Amino acid sequence: MATRPGCDFEPDHPKTSSTAASITHNPNRVATPPIYHLSFNQNHTCFLVGLQNGFRIFDTDPFKPSFRRDIDTHGGIGLVAMLYRSNIFCLVCGGPDPMYPRNKVMIWDDHDSRCVGELSFRSEVKNVKLRRDMIVVVLNQKIFVYNFLDLKLLNQIETVSNPTGLCEISHNSSPMVLVCLGLQKGQIRVENFGSKKSKFVMAHDSRVVCMSLTQDGRRLATASSKGTLIRVFNSLDGTLLQEVRRGADRADIYSLAFSSNAQFLAVSSDKGTVHIFSLKVDSGSLPSLPNDRSHFASEPIHSRLSSLSIFKGVLPKYFSSEWSVARFRLPEGLQYCVGFGHQKNTIVIIGMDGSFYRCEFDPVTGGEMIQLEYINFLNVENF
């Protein structure tokens, strides 16, 4: 596949589109519109914001504006997916009056400032995931997997109702591992594109609302609508590896994130607290995926147990649960996404209110995290 300087890649035979003229670069425009979409890229080096007037990209560590693209007409960007730090994006329109139907994915090449491909569906697009070799499009009850080179359809997967577009894919392993909802409440489906086998795991009794996958695809974290327990599985065989407790009261879990070395798991919820958990499982003992080149820490990190764990089997399970090693408190009721920073023992938190936090945690003594940085990214001037 041909490439150009400054570009990672583009499809060889995309469907053409006339969308290009509607998105422009306007560095002098200042606005603080409502946020329609908020997410990190694959390695948390930047985050993406979909707005009613276009989309913006910010670097996470250190924080700085990267670039913005504005829509000259009505409508907004309800979903934006970026391939690492390349010029390739997938865009889905959103907002109360979208410029294009929400059932269309536009593949945007920012190097040429034009749409180089389109994918259209019969229902609204809920999520898009990108790898260098594949595009994954999530609908309410179906997932489509395409080859990035020629947009050829490779696979279709049926799921239960999935209004938030839950789906995770591996990025450092080849072939791909894809994790999505199964065919019934509480069930997870793991698709291994190397072995071409499907694995169904009953992760929870109640509805699964959040999930995260390690970069190599070997470990999976899930949370249910109860929001009290987070479970970590071996995605290859469905074995439950660890169970950690966020709290005792019901909560809405907004995001889960593994650290790059899979030693820690971060969790955010509507309770206004971000938790960091130590993962005790030795990922080096897990079987390797075909052609897996990723390397994880060989020494297990042991999670803290409740001080009452000596009464396990006598007192309720709550008292012997594994608890977080570190916490950071935020305003309650707001939606936050969390990812790990590139500096050791740091996390990045982004909020739907425009807030950006960078915090440091102590993996040994634990306790409250230290806030290193706070910025309202919607109010960044001259951007």
Side-chain angles (χ1 to χ4, degrees):
M1 178 171 53
T3 60
R4 299 189 300 273
C7 302
D8 275 12
F9 60 84
E10 64 180 40
D12 282 343
H13 306 288
K15 302 175 185 178
T16 60
S17 170
S18 60
T19 310
S22 64
I23 302 181
T24 60
H25 183 198
N26 183 1
N28 297 319
R29 185 173 178 178
V30 177
T32 56
I35 295 175
Y36 296 151
H37 172 85
L38 191 63
S39 68
F40 291 98
N41 68 340
Q42 290 86 347
N43 57 7
H44 297 167
T45 57
C46 57
F47 66 95
L48 304 83
V49 186
L51 304 163
Q52 67 183 11
N53 62 342
F55 65 96
R56 304 184 192 182
I57 310 297
F58 298 88
D59 291 346
T60 58
D61 194 4
F63 173 88
K64 65 177 179 178
S66 180
F67 66 90
R68 64 183 291 170
R69 296 298 178 258
D70 291 332
I71 293 179
D72 294 331
T73 58
H74 72 283
I77 300 298
L79 193 155
V80 52
M82 179 183 186
L83 184 64
Y84 288 95
R85 298 181 63 88
S86 74
N87 55 293
I88 299 296
F89 299 85
C90 283
L91 306 174
V92 178
C93 288
D97 188 19
M99 181 171 54
Y100 291 92
R102 293 185 178 91
N103 63 342
K104 180 181 292 187
V105 177
M106 296 176 291
I107 304 170
W108 177 262
D109 184 346
D110 200 71
H111 182 273
D112 290 341
S113 295
R114 68 185 183 95
C115 187
V116 297
E118 289 183 0
L119 294 167
S120 297
F121 304 91
R122 295 181 180 178
S123 61
E124 181 179 337
V125 175
K126 302 296 185 180
N127 201 357
V128 178
K129 295 289 183 177
L130 295 179
R131 277 172 52 112
R132 297 183 185 276
D133 55 349
M134 295 183 189
I135 300 177
V136 178
V137 180
V138 184
L139 309 183
N140 185 51
Q141 290 186 296
K142 186 171 286 189
I143 294 175
F144 295 90
V145 181
Y146 295 89
N147 182 29
F148 213 124
L149 285 171
D150 52 12
L151 301 185
K152 178 182 178 181
L153 181 63
L154 301 177
N155 200 358
Q156 300 182 51
I157 302 171
E158 301 283 344
T159 70
V160 294
S161 179
N162 186 13
T164 59
L166 293 179
C167 180
E168 295 293 332
I169 60 176
S170 62
H171 298 288
N172 290 349
S173 64
S174 183
M176 179 175 73
V177 175
L178 181 149
V179 177
C180 62
L181 298 182
L183 298 173
Q184 55 183 293
K185 181 180 69 176
Q187 187 183 68
I188 294 294
R189 176 172 181 164
V190 181
E191 288 289 323
N192 190 319
F193 281 67
S195 64
K196 298 181 180 180
K197 293 182 179 180
S198 301
K199 179 70 178 181
F200 291 88
V201 180
M202 282 305 302
H204 300 272
D205 294 332
S206 51
R207 182 171 51 91
V208 176
V209 298
C210 199
M211 63 176 68
S212 181
L213 193 65
T214 53
Q215 290 282 315
D216 65 356
R218 293 187 295 177
R219 198 182 300 184
L220 165 71
T222 64
S224 74
S225 56
K226 292 181 179 179
T228 54
L229 297 174
I230 293 92
R231 290 176 174 147
V232 181
F233 297 89
N234 178 343
S235 63
L236 303 184
D237 60 16
T239 303
L240 177 63
L241 302 176
Q242 192 171 352
E243 183 177 86
V244 297
R245 180 173 289 275
R246 181 212 56 82
D249 53 340
R250 183 181 293 269
D252 293 328
I253 302 296
Y254 290 137
S255 72
L256 300 170
F258 285 97
S259 62
S260 60
N261 58 11
Q263 292 180 347
F264 300 101
L265 179 71
V267 181
S268 67
S269 72
D270 66 336
K271 297 301 181 182
T273 304
V274 170
H275 296 270
I276 302 291
F277 296 92
S278 288
L279 299 182
K280 64 183 180 181
V281 179
D282 182 0
S283 60
S285 67
L286 296 178
S288 297
L289 292 168
N291 302 321
D292 183 15
R293 299 178 180 178
S294 59
H295 298 281
F296 279 58
S298 60
E299 293 297 324
I301 303 295
H302 293 278
S303 292
R304 294 185 169 209
L305 296 177
S306 164
S307 60
L308 295 179
S309 60
I310 58 174
F311 295 103
K312 187 175 182 180
V314 179
L315 296 177
K317 189 176 181 181
Y318 172 85
F319 293 104
S320 59
S321 296
E322 299 182 37
W323 297 85
S324 61
V325 298
R327 296 162 299 282
F328 185 72
R329 304 190 185 280
L330 298 157
E332 287 192 34
L334 296 177
Q335 186 169 344
Y336 297 93
C337 296
V338 63
F340 282 85
H342 283 234
Q343 297 183 39
K344 186 176 181 180
N345 300 331
T346 62
I347 66 165
V348 174
I349 305 166
I350 51 177
M352 292 295 285
D353 60 346
S355 57
F356 170 92
Y357 297 88
R358 191 164 59 88
C359 305
E360 182 179 21
F361 64 93
D362 189 325
V364 178
T365 61
E368 298 295 325
M369 300 186 215
I370 300 173
Q371 179 178 312
L372 303 177
E373 190 174 11
Y374 169 80
I375 294 172
N376 188 315
F377 58 78
L378 291 179
N379 293 332
V380 175
E381 297 182 357
N382 300 321
F383 177 53

